[in-house]
Amino acid sequence: MFGGFFSPKIKGTVVLMQKNVLDINSIVSAENVVNGVVEGITSILDTASSFLGRSVSIQLISATQTDSSGKGKVGNKAYLEGPINSLPTLGAQQNAFTIHFKYDSHFGIPGAFYIQNYMADEFFLTYLPSQTPTALVYYRQLELHNLRGDGKEERLKWERIYDYDVYNDIGEPDKGALYARQVLGGSSAYPYPRRGRTGRPKTKTDPNYESRSGSAYIPRDESFGHVKSSDFLIYGLKSVAQDVTSVLQSVFELDFTPNEFETFDEVRELYEGGIKLPTDAISKISPLPVFKEIFRTDGEQFLKFPTPKVIQVSKSAWMTDEEFGREIIAGVNPGLVRSLEVFPPASKLDSAIYGDHTSTITKEHIEPNLDGLTIDLAIESKKLFILDHHDTIIPYLRLINSTATKAYASRTILFLKSDGTLKPVAIELSLPHPQGDQHGVVSNVYLPAVEGVESTIWLLAKAYVIVNDSCYHQLVSHWLNTHAVVEPFVIATHRQLSVVHPIYKLLYPHYRDTMNINALARGSLVNADGVIEKTFLWGGYAMEISSIVYKDWVFTDQALPADLIKRGIAVEDSSSPHGLRLVIEDYPYAVDGLDIWGAIKTWVEDYVSLYYTSDDTIKQDVELQSWWKEVVEVGHGDKKDAPWWPKLQTREDLIHVSTIIIWTASALHAAVNFGQYPYGGFILNRPTLSRRLIPEEGTDEYNELITNPQKAYLRTITPKFQTLIDLSVIEILSRHASDELYLGQRDSEYWTSDIKALEAIKKFGTTLAEIEGQLVQRNNDETLRNRVGPITLPYTVLYPSSKEGLTFRGIPNSISI
């Protein structure tokens, strides 16, 4: 409206959506609505009133009138005025303010805002025009230029600069050789995805390493933003890594409590009664509400954990062979088993260095358990499968076994029974040859047994397999294949795609909190002497081994259909759902995952078709091409010459690439993350390290297998201190915050003004709800034995929706924990 004849003004309303007023790293996003132009701001604020006065100025930018340089005209500065309390559309955590812009008829039509911040905090400008007017092109390019920075100097906490670096910040060589770790990334020997650059000073000992002084920089837009202080799960993680670990370590060092469990019942006591701690122990732990369920302070100082779902119904079903086989396809690491196509199993290790590693498992070992089939017929009919943890660990096994831990490389053969379940029929455990690597390995094969000392040895053999699987799961399936590989996409998207770009809008929700959680992981979880090294078998070689595995990483294999085909678990079949026929029909992760994959792909197809009408529009999109070039050549630069990278020249390429990114950041991460505590919270079921080998007959340790099998098992697997740290971490990792955004959801209804895009995402949400109903029906089908299993735990981790807390369900949009 006009405020007067000689001083025309445009009156507008600014709505601030405040996400967090408690956390120093919170984000406040705002939706500016001025004469129908929707804009967004984010900032760090204690209260909404911080905007008042002259702390922030907003100027209109003309979309139709330019100055002498061709840039859109910039209007006079305007400031937020008094609050509006009567706006009927205001929601929770929202505040509205009046603003007046002076207007000149020669200014033209406003197309964007220019916001200047005079506080220590920063702002993030976003807008969604269907096309960028010529007068605004300069500002669009300027924003991207500012986001890229200059690659120099240490980044400051209020900056919004995105850049790349190698993993040279997980070791601390200045503390001594024991804390030095390989630099990951930038070499063919140790390739790795890139992380966000911080620019911290180099270490004094070695200029190749970045010092770990102070907190690691992350762009301000990546800061966590949660509604309640109880949702600060990330700070719970940091507290576990620092406060809890040091407190528990001091408890055990003072011999307040022994570092061994004596019986299985004592392990279960962690959930039923807890462990009593010294009276001053709890006071040293950060009083975050997230710990209320773990650290009891109501009169007694107890460390008590929620009962994991794996033992909520039955205390012993986890020990069965059927449950062991079921968790390989419906547990926390369900994407590793593959069809056995060559017998005996072979190795891909260089025989010139490591000798012959062909498996010693014979037909005589397993044919008695194949229901009358021969090996050849079982392989031909797709009835034999392998969980192979041999080649990954062998190059490091001699080093690992030179420490307090003792382990084997393992190969596990499984048979698909007529009832659809997987039965382990042989486990091969291998050690490096005592005369040197070139001589191969020394292997023993263990077979199923249900009584006597053989049954205890069989239980131990399965435990060694699970220790290997736990390490591979945490460092590869979880950390590398979701957290680490996604971060380069986050960085490239911000550097190369303007916030007005439709693909930026498509992908942005799937990046929420990822750089922040990764920075914390490098600081406290995967760093030298961090939680992972303390509690997992791979120890100080953990990240290095994940780098070796990354050599075989293929982006296109992250697509679920391609992964299933590559592992021999599915064959192409146009008559089957999603064009694939599963050879293990009752494979919960694959069946449910394909439904979710299909829904994501359809949503991406619908969305992309709104903006790209031909393949030429893909080729001619300069920002899109720059984005993909940077992902391939910089973000994943160690694999830039790989032939499998899509060329991004067609709409089909863009749909496929975007679907893989969204799948990886949402459903794949959910599948390997939120089952950690339900399955791994009971350390007997998923031990993380082993401390002694299977004893030789005639030794005291062997006699213990006969006289006290529970004690023998407990002396082999993860001890008490490491168990408590592990459980504290995965209990937090397996939780959802109350303001979690799940697949199909957006943080604002204003994310686009395109009606067709809004209709498409609504359709996506409806499809996901329908899929969830179908998953519930599957879990109620008693003929599908792998859906629930002996432990009576339905496979719910890929249900799209969830409530907050420890739910064992829900697919968040992003890798946010």
Side-chain angles (χ1 to χ4, degrees), residues 389-391 393-394 397 407-411 427-432 441 443 464 468:
H389 288 298
H390 185 92
D391 286 6
I393 194 174
I394 277 292
L397 189 54
Y408 299 93
S410 62
R411 291 183 176 116
I427 293 174
E428 179 186 58
L429 300 179
S430 304
L431 291 170
V441 288
S443 302
Y464 290 115
N468 286 338

Side-chain angles (χ1 to χ4, degrees), residues 480-725:
L480 174 65
N481 286 349
T482 63
H483 285 259
V485 301
V486 165
E487 185 159 353
F489 290 96
V490 180
I491 299 170
T493 298
H494 283 283
R495 285 169 53 88
Q496 299 297 340
L497 297 181
S498 168
V499 291
V500 307
H501 198 286
I503 301 306
Y504 177 98
K505 290 295 179 182
L506 173 67
L507 298 178
Y508 178 73
H510 305 288
Y511 299 153
R512 181 185 191 233
D513 290 349
T514 300
M515 288 188 71
N516 207 335
I517 186 66
N518 286 2
L520 182 131
R522 296 196 311 273
S524 302
L525 301 181
V526 300
N527 59 302
D529 201 37
V531 168
I532 298 299
E533 290 194 1
K534 278 186 170 76
T535 59
F536 282 80
L537 175 73
W538 289 1
Y541 305 101
M543 287 290 282
E544 186 177 323
I545 294 175
S546 76
S547 168
I548 303 304
V549 177
Y550 178 65
K551 291 181 179 182
D552 294 325
W553 180 82
V554 176
F555 172 72
T556 48
D557 286 348
Q558 296 272 103
L560 181 60
D563 168 60
L564 295 172
I565 291 172
K566 185 175 184 176
R567 291 191 283 122
I569 298 298
V571 294
E572 295 187 53
D573 182 354
S574 59
S575 65
S576 298
H578 310 291
L580 293 180
R581 178 175 56 83
L582 294 172
V583 297
I584 304 176
E585 294 181 6
D586 183 16
Y587 187 167
Y589 163 71
V591 174
D592 297 359
L594 284 171
D595 285 346
I596 300 297
W597 168 270
I600 294 171
K601 183 180 179 181
T602 298
W603 148 241
V604 174
E605 287 173 337
D606 291 345
Y607 182 85
V608 167
S609 67
L610 297 176
Y611 303 98
Y612 295 95
T613 57
S614 68
D615 290 344
D616 285 341
T617 56
I618 300 289
K619 299 174 185 176
Q620 295 164 6
D621 188 330
V622 176
E623 285 187 1
L624 192 68
Q625 294 302 322
S626 296
W627 168 70
W628 190 241
K629 178 180 175 65
E630 185 166 291
V631 165
V632 174
E633 297 184 2
V634 184
H636 284 280
D638 296 334
K639 304 186 79 67
K640 64 182 179 181
D641 297 323
W644 39 256
W645 285 109
K647 302 303 181 184
L648 203 61
Q649 295 293 295
T650 66
R651 287 183 296 175
E652 183 179 352
D653 284 346
L654 179 57
I655 290 167
H656 193 50
V657 163
S658 300
T659 302
I660 292 174
I661 294 170
I662 295 172
W663 161 262
T664 303
S666 59
L668 179 58
H669 179 258
V672 299
N673 182 72
F674 293 104
Q676 290 192 80
Y677 192 81
Y679 286 111
F682 189 53
I683 201 67
L684 303 184
N685 185 58
R686 282 195 71 80
T688 59
L689 57 83
S690 49
R691 297 175 287 155
R692 65 185 191 184
L693 303 176
I694 293 178
E696 297 288 338
E697 193 168 353
T699 62
D700 292 341
E701 289 80 6
Y702 188 89
N703 292 333
E704 188 178 58
L705 293 176
I706 302 171
T707 61
N708 196 341
Q710 287 191 14
K711 184 177 180 180
Y713 186 86
L714 291 165
R715 290 297 185 272
T716 301
I717 66 166
T718 316
K720 188 180 293 185
F721 168 69
Q722 285 85 350
T723 294
L724 300 182
I725 298 302

Side-chain angles (χ1 to χ4, degrees), residues 256 273-284 294-304:
F256 178 82
I275 292 180
K276 198 171 191 301
L277 297 178
T279 55
D280 64 338
I282 298 295
S283 64
K284 298 177 182 178
I294 301 177
F295 300 102
R296 311 294 180 180
T297 57
D298 47 356
E300 296 288 344
Q301 305 293 310
F302 283 106
L303 176 62
K304 184 179 179 181

